[in-house]
Amino acid sequence: MENILITGGAGFIGSNLALKLIAKGYKITVLDNLSPQIHGENPEISSPLYISIKDKTRFIKGTVTSKEDWAEALKDQDVIVHYAAETGTGQSMYEIQKYVDVNVNGTAIMLDLLANSEHKVKKVIIASSRSIYGEGKYLNEKGESIYPKHRTSEVMDKGDFEVKFLGSETLKLVATDEDSKIHPSSVYGITKQNQEQMIMTVCPTIGISPVAFRYQNVYGPGQSLKNPYTGILSIFSTQIKNGNGINIFEDGKETRDFVYIDDVVDATILGIEKEEANGEVFNVGTGVATDVITVANGLIKYYGQEVSLSISGNYRLGDIRHNYADLTKIKSKLGFEPKFSFDQGLEEFTKWVNTQEVEKDNYQKSIDEMKAKGLYK
């Protein structure tokens, strides 16, 4: 299986995966629309991600919402890694049609072509997301697994940001395993759930092996510093580099599982190469929860640039409180072990940011959009 198509292959994860697969001897085709939100206004000239892969891959500038672009990209492919997607959790709550069209309809077009035309595809890897788990997994006082509902404005307006479950006084956060309840709290999460379920359902019926990776919060050198809608490390970095203060939402104790780009690429390659991955869904993370205050202070430390930190109590509807991955399955089935701690990854990320041109801080624009829609409080 030497020919691999990576949709969204000029993006952050896709380009890193492409370069490592090329080094291993694979022939890579990339289908990407070079979205200005990620790559800037003149991507063919100024996007480092695109430039890194353009002469090393068969590149098709196109969109997953075009049947013709899909048909061209699928020629002679053995494996598809499907990354192309709209990815901002907050933005998805008001640009609903765009997110559904790209993420759900784009995937449906691919599956329709695979089901109804001749091809050589033997495996499809889908980039799913931790967002499908919603508020994650907890234990109640009896040690029973609990999956809290989404938090509401009525409670968060009072400054109470922890999740609640009727009848339980205290909840203990635990790692989310692959059998946990799927109940996304954003349109983005819903579209990732739909993508995953369509691929895991359709592919086996047409002789294709599906693999789904539920990535946690991926970060590292190369991620877009232009996109104000997603990527807390890049957003905070751009604010710091512009000398702007950081507004930390809620009480700053909300946590995420931050997984370094090299670990994500390695996990994905295991899914491509190992038969044991076929038909399976895997979490990809570090298994460690890191709170937002730690993220902000770590960035300030490595940049050596003091800016004000404000823990404001603001919040965005659609955000979750906590989630971190249980890695038992991917470790046992694929032999995956994350190599980078958050501090190690943060040091590498900030070294890279220090070599980049300082981007304009457009974060307030994204906040203003959410505020106008009643999604930012």
Side-chain angles (χ1 to χ4, degrees):
M1 297 198 296
E2 64 177 359
N3 296 321
I4 299 178
L5 167 64
I6 306 176
T7 70
F12 172 43
I13 305 176
S15 61
N16 277 275
L17 176 64
L19 292 173
K20 189 149 190 178
L21 288 171
I22 290 165
K24 289 172 69 72
Y26 291 96
K27 297 175 182 177
I28 305 300
T29 297
V30 167
L31 173 63
D32 199 297
N33 70 348
L34 299 180
S35 166
Q37 184 166 301
I38 298 166
H39 296 276
E41 293 302 325
N42 298 294
E44 282 94 345
I45 299 169
S46 60
S47 170
L49 293 174
Y50 167 67
I51 291 167
S52 73
I53 57 99
K54 71 167 186 170
D55 294 326
K56 300 173 184 176
T57 66
R58 172 185 170 230
F59 183 80
I60 301 169
K61 186 175 182 181
T63 171
V64 292
T65 58
S66 165
K67 189 172 185 178
E68 291 72 27
D69 291 343
W70 266 117
E72 175 64 23
L74 286 172
K75 290 176 182 176
D76 298 321
Q77 302 301 327
D78 300 306
V79 178
I80 303 168
V81 182
H82 188 26
Y83 283 143
E86 298 293 338
T87 57
T89 300
Q91 189 182 40
S92 78
M93 298 294 283
Y94 56 93
E95 295 203 3
I96 298 159
Q97 183 175 347
K98 180 172 79 170
Y99 274 72
V100 172
D101 192 35
V102 173
N103 298 3
V104 180
N105 188 46
T107 303
I109 293 170
M110 174 191 73
L111 290 171
D112 201 84
L113 283 168
L114 293 177
N116 295 294
S117 61
E118 291 187 8
H119 59 81
K120 295 170 55 183
V121 176
K122 302 176 185 70
K123 183 177 284 195
V124 173
I125 311 282
I126 177 62
S128 188
S129 168
R130 58 94 185 149
S131 65
I132 72 172
Y133 293 124
E135 286 292 354
K137 184 176 181 179
Y138 292 76
L139 300 179
N140 66 9
E141 297 92 334
K142 299 177 183 178
E144 299 167 329
S145 295
I146 296 296
Y147 301 97
K149 294 181 179 179
H150 314 318
R151 298 175 296 163
T152 64
S153 296
E154 290 75 18
V155 175
M156 291 192 285
D157 282 343
K158 300 173 184 175
D160 185 355
F161 301 108
E162 292 298 343
V163 297
K164 312 293 180 192
F165 193 84
L166 189 64
S168 294
E169 291 297 320
T170 59
L171 295 176
K172 178 185 177 183
L173 176 69
V174 293
T176 309
D177 58 71
E178 290 86 351
D179 292 326
S180 296
K181 182 178 178 179
I182 293 174
H183 61 139
S185 58
S186 67
V187 172
Y188 169 69
I190 292 168
T191 66
K192 298 310 286 186
Q193 175 188 354
N194 287 344
Q195 281 187 308
E196 178 186 309
Q197 290 178 331
M198 283 194 294
I199 285 170
M200 300 305 292
T201 300
V202 174
C203 284
T205 70
I206 54 176
I208 296 173
S209 300
V211 184
F213 286 113
R214 295 172 180 169
Y215 297 135
Q216 292 280 333
N217 287 58
V218 186
Y219 73 100
Q223 73 182 87
S224 176
L225 300 172
K226 295 179 173 69
N227 189 348
Y229 296 96
T230 186
I232 184 173
L233 274 82
S234 59
I235 291 169
F236 281 0
S237 293
T238 298
Q239 290 177 309
I240 293 168
K241 287 294 184 177
N242 278 275
N244 297 333
I246 295 175
N247 174 19
I248 295 178
F249 292 168
E250 303 186 15
D251 56 5
K253 297 178 183 177
E254 60 274 23
T255 63
R256 298 292 184 269
D257 184 339
F258 294 96
V259 57
Y260 193 66
I261 182 63
D262 290 17
D263 288 328
V264 169
V265 167
D266 288 347
T268 307
I269 292 174
L270 288 172
I272 293 169
E273 295 183 337
K274 283 184 170 282
E275 294 293 308
E276 294 89 336
N278 295 355
E280 299 288 350
V281 175
F282 299 99
N283 287 331
V284 180
T286 62
V288 177
T290 302
D291 66 46
V292 174
I293 294 175
T294 298
V295 172
N297 285 328
L299 289 168
I300 289 170
K301 178 185 79 170
Y302 279 117
Y303 291 132
Q305 190 171 336
E306 286 297 326
V307 297
S308 63
L309 290 183
S310 170
I311 301 173
S312 64
N314 294 131
Y315 63 88
R316 300 185 308 180
L317 292 171
D319 278 350
I320 63 164
R321 179 64 172 172
H322 304 293
N323 189 271
Y324 72 103
D326 184 321
L327 300 182
T328 303
K329 183 176 179 180
I330 194 170
K331 286 180 177 181
S332 63
K333 279 192 175 288
L334 302 186
F336 170 74
E337 288 284 348
K339 298 181 178 68
F340 287 82
S341 69
F342 179 65
D343 194 59
Q344 289 170 321
L346 198 63
E347 184 173 10
E348 293 302 312
F349 171 69
T350 53
K351 282 180 186 175
W352 169 76
V353 173
N354 282 334
T355 69
Q356 303 300 300
E357 182 180 340
V358 177
E359 297 289 344
K360 182 180 178 182
D361 184 1
N362 290 317
Y363 185 55
Q364 190 58 44
K365 174 178 176 285
S366 71
I367 293 299
D368 290 343
E369 288 178 8
M370 292 204 72
K371 190 181 294 185
K373 306 295 181 184
L375 297 166
Y376 175 83
K377 305 289 185 177

